[in-house]
């Protein structure tokens, strides 16, 4: 009994010591920063979070990655977060209690083909060829809506073999060689560059997606939220995003 | 009140009754919630759209075909597990039930790696016959059968173990060959188990989502079954998703109830 009490007291003392150490840093860089971010930002934001933590000892950046519309719903249902980075302005506008948003990245579509391009895809017109195996995103999800804009602009009727539920599922089908081509984002092509090649096409400029970021007015850590958003918009932040394939303003 | 309690208590311990009712509510309340949320006023117009019928027809066709495939392969497999002297039978039995616990998406990827256009077997199918399973209705059937077959195998194996082998021995002493004995003695004696397994198998195939969308993709009229249509409808119009879910639910309940009445109940 006595021994257990001593052990508990020592544990509490150690915990207090740790906590007081964490309090030593400047106000803007302490505690936990909770960031809700679009799934397509998973790679680049994980890197940004690590860099930010390295630059601000004692800070922990916690991410919740998911579809932008699902994240917006979670936030409106009261999920606690400090920062929201969305893949579309619409999803961000849907969130109540948001601050002022800044566009921090742009993404556009690219044709993904299996390494070596076995289907000999040369451009968007091949998506109208019945003999080629083609994957597109379903028009209900953002990459499918963007693809529809591009095909409308090119006056082409695509002949897909499958309408995938999200962009990563379409990318997987290309990576496995099950389809000759798919329309995905430029960042997706780069993220899978050991397995797929990208083909740039001019009509992609007709459907550029923009990514806004904002602090949330209900943030538990408003100083940390602001510091993280500033970091994403900084030169270092832009470099990370650019290496993932995003265009930065 | 007291008399009634004693009557129930005589058959079923009261201590079991409360959790039993809670369990029932746990299973039924979400379904009731679906019905409560349904946009009843606009339901008929949404229901009679071509896409809904297309997806429903495809779902029924694929689930039934998958069940037939499971019967053709699953009954012999169950017989092997129940009757044959196999080394490592426990391990084989465990492996047969793996698709039950495997996340369906993983099952879909596994199928792609084997039967896809670049898969171990699929590559040859494509090379020799110019045929590949992904993105075809046949692919949906294969995906559903992969996920649903363990239900059939487990049911049939259980029935085979419970069946009295003396009838088979009697048939053998009367001069019947093995195949004749299997057809005329073994199979009829395990019929209820086979039907129960087939019903479970069919219901699982009807609701299959993950392996289907991963292996067979999603194209209206060819591979878009009801669960896939529900998922995509949820992205844009949750009302449509609710309507589609209710249709799927109604079809399953009607079929399961009819089969239970006609077969499982009758044969008990």
């Amino acid at each position: 009994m006595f021994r257990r009490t001593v052990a508990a007291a020592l544990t509490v003392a150690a915990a207090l010591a740790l906590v007081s150490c964490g309090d030593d840093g400047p106000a803007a860089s302490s505690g936990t920063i909770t960031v809700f971010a679009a799934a397509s930002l998973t790679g680049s934001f994980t890197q940004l979070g690590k860099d930010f933590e390295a630059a601000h000892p004692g800070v922990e950046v916690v991410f919740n990655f998911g579809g932008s519309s699902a994240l917006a719903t979670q936030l409106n249902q009261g999920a606690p977060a400090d920062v929201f980075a969305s893949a579309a302005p619409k999803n961000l506008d849907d969130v109540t209690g948001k601050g002022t948003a800044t566009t921090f990245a742009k993404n556009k579509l690219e044709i993904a083909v299996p390494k070596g391009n076995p289907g000999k895809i040369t451009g968007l017109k091949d998506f109208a060829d019945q003999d080629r195996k083609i994957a597109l995103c379903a028009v209900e999800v953002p990459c499918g809506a963007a693809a529809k804009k591009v095909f409308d602009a090119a006056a082409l009727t695509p002949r897909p073999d499958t309408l995938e539920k999200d962009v990563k599922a379409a990318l997987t089908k290309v990576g496995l060689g099950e389809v000759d081509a798919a329309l995905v984002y430029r960042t997706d092509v780069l993220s899978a560059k050991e397995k797929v090649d990208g083909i740039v096409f001019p009509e992609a400029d007709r459907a550029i997606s923009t990514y806004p970021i904002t602090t949330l007015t209900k943030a538990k850590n408003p100083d940390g939220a602001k510091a993280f958003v500033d970091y994403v918009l900084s030169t270092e932040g832009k470099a990370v995003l650019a290496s993932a394939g995003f265009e930065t303003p | 009140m007291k008399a009634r309690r004693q009557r129930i208590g005589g058959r079923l311990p009261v201590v079991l009754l409360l959790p039993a009712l809670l369990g029932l509510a746990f299973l039924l309340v979400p379904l009731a919630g679906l019905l409560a949320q349904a946009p009843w006023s606009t339901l008929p117009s949404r229901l009679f759209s071509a896409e809904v019928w297309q997806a429903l027809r495809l779902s029924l066709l694929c689930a039934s075909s998958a069940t037939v495939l499971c019967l053709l392969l699953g009954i012999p497999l169950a017989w092997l597990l129940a009757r044959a002297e196999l080394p490592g039978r426990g391990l084989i039995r465990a492996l047969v039930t793996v698709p039950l616990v495997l996340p369906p998406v993983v099952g879909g990827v596994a199928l792609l790696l084997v039967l896809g256009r670049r898969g171990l077997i699929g590559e040859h199918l494509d090379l020799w016959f110019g045929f590949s399973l992904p993105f075809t209705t046949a692919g949906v059937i294969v995906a559903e059968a992969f996920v649903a077959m363990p239900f059939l195998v487990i049911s049939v194996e259980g029935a085979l173990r419970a069946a009295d082998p003396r009838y088979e021995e009697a048939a053998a002493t009367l001069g019947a060959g093995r195949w004749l004995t299997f057809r005329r003695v073994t199979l009829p004696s395990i019929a209820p188990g086979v039907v129960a397994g087939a019903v479970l198998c069919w219901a699982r195939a009807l609701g299959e989502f993950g392996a289907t969308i991963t292996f067979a993709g999603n194209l209206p009229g060819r591979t878009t079954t009801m669960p896939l249509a529900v998922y995509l409808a949820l992205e844009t119009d949750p009302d449509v998703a609710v309507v589609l879910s209710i249709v799927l639910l109604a079809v399953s309940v009607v079929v399961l109830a009819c089969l239970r009445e006609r077969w499982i109940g009758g044969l008990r």
Side-chain angles (χ1 to χ4, degrees):
Chain A
M1 188 63 200
F2 171 72
R3 200 179 288 178
R4 204 184 289 169
T5 313
V6 170
L10 282 175
T11 312
V12 170
L16 282 174
L18 277 174
V19 168
S20 57
C21 280
D23 280 344
D24 283 346
S29 57
S30 65
T32 303
I33 306 170
T34 307
V35 178
F36 278 36
S40 48
L41 295 167
T42 306
S44 46
F45 264 44
T46 305
Q47 185 60 45
L48 281 172
K50 275 186 198 145
D51 295 352
F52 185 82
E53 283 173 351
H56 301 81
V59 175
E60 194 191 359
V61 185
V62 179
F63 289 107
N64 178 19
F65 293 109
S68 295
S69 57
L71 294 176
T73 309
Q74 288 173 13
L75 288 171
N76 283 334
Q77 298 291 327
D82 301 304
V83 177
F84 180 34
S86 165
K90 185 196 169 297
N91 299 123
L92 195 131
D93 292 341
D94 290 345
V95 175
T96 52
K98 62 183 191 309
T100 46
T102 319
T103 298
F104 69 96
K106 290 182 178 179
N107 210 349
K108 61 179 167 184
L109 292 175
E110 207 168 287
I111 300 170
V113 298
K115 209 81 195 162
N117 196 0
K120 300 193 173 47
I121 302 290
T122 55
L124 207 58
K125 63 171 174 31
D126 293 321
F127 282 76
D129 181 354
Q130 186 153 30
D131 293 335
R132 290 195 159 99
K133 286 252 188 280
I134 298 295
L136 292 176
C137 292
V139 73
E140 288 89 345
V141 296
C143 59
K148 186 179 183 309
K149 268 193 210 168
V150 162
F151 285 118
D152 286 350
L156 274 173
T157 308
R159 288 175 168 274
D161 292 272
T162 176
L163 299 168
E164 295 292 311
K165 66 183 168 52
D166 56 47
V167 67
K168 290 295 180 194
L171 185 69
T172 304
K173 300 276 191 316
V174 179
L176 289 170
E178 293 303 326
V179 294
D180 297 319
L183 268 196
V184 300
Y185 292 110
R186 190 172 131 72
T187 50
D188 297 311
V189 172
L190 267 177
S191 74
K193 59 174 181 280
E194 323 81 60
K195 285 183 180 163
V196 309
D197 289 333
I199 299 171
V200 180
F201 61 98
E203 296 87 346
D205 289 337
R206 304 293 283 270
I208 292 175
S209 26
T210 56
Y211 288 63
I213 190 168
T214 184
T215 58
L216 297 163
T217 51
K218 286 177 193 151
K220 290 216 176 77
N221 184 358
D223 296 331
K226 186 171 180 316
F228 185 76
V229 170
D230 287 345
Y231 187 74
V232 171
L233 297 170
S234 72
T235 317
E236 297 101 309
K238 281 181 179 171
V240 171
L241 288 164
S243 69
F246 290 102
E247 286 173 30
T248 51
Chain B
M1 185 65 204
K2 195 179 171 192
R4 192 177 160 202
R5 211 174 126 181
Q6 270 177 346
R7 191 163 55 83
I8 295 168
R11 301 207 196 117
L12 182 79
V14 176
V15 76
L16 291 184
L17 195 61
L18 188 66
L21 291 178
L22 268 176
L24 190 66
F26 175 63
L27 292 178
L28 293 188
V29 166
L31 303 184
L34 208 56
L35 293 177
Q37 287 293 314
W40 291 109
S41 54
T42 57
L43 194 130
S45 64
R46 291 173 196 267
L47 200 57
F48 293 110
S49 72
E51 294 84 27
V52 172
W53 286 115
Q54 200 177 40
L56 183 61
R57 205 171 49 230
L58 193 69
S59 270
L60 294 175
L61 170 79
C62 290
S64 304
S65 309
T67 306
V68 171
L69 184 63
C70 288
L71 284 168
L72 290 176
L73 303 177
I75 294 176
L77 178 56
W79 178 83
L80 198 71
L81 289 176
R83 294 288 160 87
E85 288 301 324
L86 282 175
R89 186 160 62 177
L91 182 67
I92 295 174
R93 188 184 294 128
L95 289 175
V96 164
T97 50
V98 161
L100 282 183
V101 291
L102 203 65
V105 177
V106 177
V109 172
L111 286 172
L112 267 182
L113 293 175
V114 174
L115 295 171
R117 199 161 63 142
R118 299 287 169 76
L120 291 174
I121 299 170
E123 192 178 27
H124 300 293
L125 287 180
D126 190 37
L127 223 59
W128 296 337
F129 309 108
F131 174 74
S132 76
L133 273 172
F135 318 121
T136 62
T137 307
V140 178
I141 296 168
V142 168
E144 291 184 349
F146 177 78
V147 174
M149 186 138 59
F151 287 93
L152 183 87
V153 174
I154 290 175
S155 296
V156 176
E157 196 207 341
L160 276 170
R161 287 178 174 279
D164 194 336
R166 279 180 302 179
Y167 294 111
E168 292 171 14
E169 283 157 18
T173 53
L174 292 173
R178 288 179 195 186
W179 176 230
L180 185 70
T181 308
F182 180 77
R183 273 188 307 139
R184 303 294 292 272
V185 180
T186 314
L187 215 44
S189 72
I190 59 164
V194 173
V195 174
V199 170
L200 272 178
C201 180
W202 182 84
R204 178 68 188 87
L206 191 70
E208 161 51 32
F209 171 77
T212 308
I213 200 163
T214 310
F215 179 60
N218 172 52
L219 194 72
R222 209 192 302 167
T223 53
T224 304
T225 55
M226 287 293 273
L228 275 57
V230 170
Y231 181 88
L232 281 169
L234 214 47
E235 292 278 328
T236 47
D237 191 349
D239 278 353
V240 174
V242 171
V243 172
L244 293 178
S245 307
I246 289 174
V247 172
L248 194 60
L249 193 67
V251 170
S252 324
V253 169
V254 166
V255 171
L256 292 180
C258 289
L259 280 172
R260 183 160 271 275
E261 206 55 37
R262 170 82 179 76
W263 287 99
I264 305 170
L267 284 163
R268 190 161 45 203

